[in-house]
Amino acid sequence: MLAVDVHARKASAVAETARRLGLENLEARAADATVPIPDVPLESFDLVLLDAPCSGWERCGAIPR
């Protein structure tokens, strides 16, 4: 399993959580997933799970500042 985040800090946090939970089949790396990731052939993926960055945007205007 490959977890990707554009921010190295977040990718590192995912890797640490996976390690703590004993998930040995997860690799986390910092990369821009909008372009092909070097050394990862597209054919190697069976499924993609996406947590889009726009999740919850409709609530941004409702949050008091």
Side-chain angles (χ1 to χ4, degrees):
M1 187 180 318
L2 178 62
V4 178
D5 196 292
V6 70
H7 302 287
R9 178 183 52 78
K10 291 180 182 179
S12 179
V14 168
E16 173 56 29
T17 300
R19 184 202 61 74
R20 186 174 43 83
L21 295 173
L23 303 176
E24 297 176 359
N25 65 337
L26 188 137
E27 175 189 349
R29 51 167 94 167
D32 180 355
T34 64
V35 296
I37 301 168
D39 75 309
V40 178
L42 293 176
E43 303 82 34
S44 66
F45 296 101
D46 294 325
L47 180 70
V48 174
L49 175 62
L50 175 67
D51 180 16
C54 57
S55 297
W57 266 120
E58 66 276 2
R59 294 195 54 209
C60 287
I63 299 171
R65 297 183 197 212

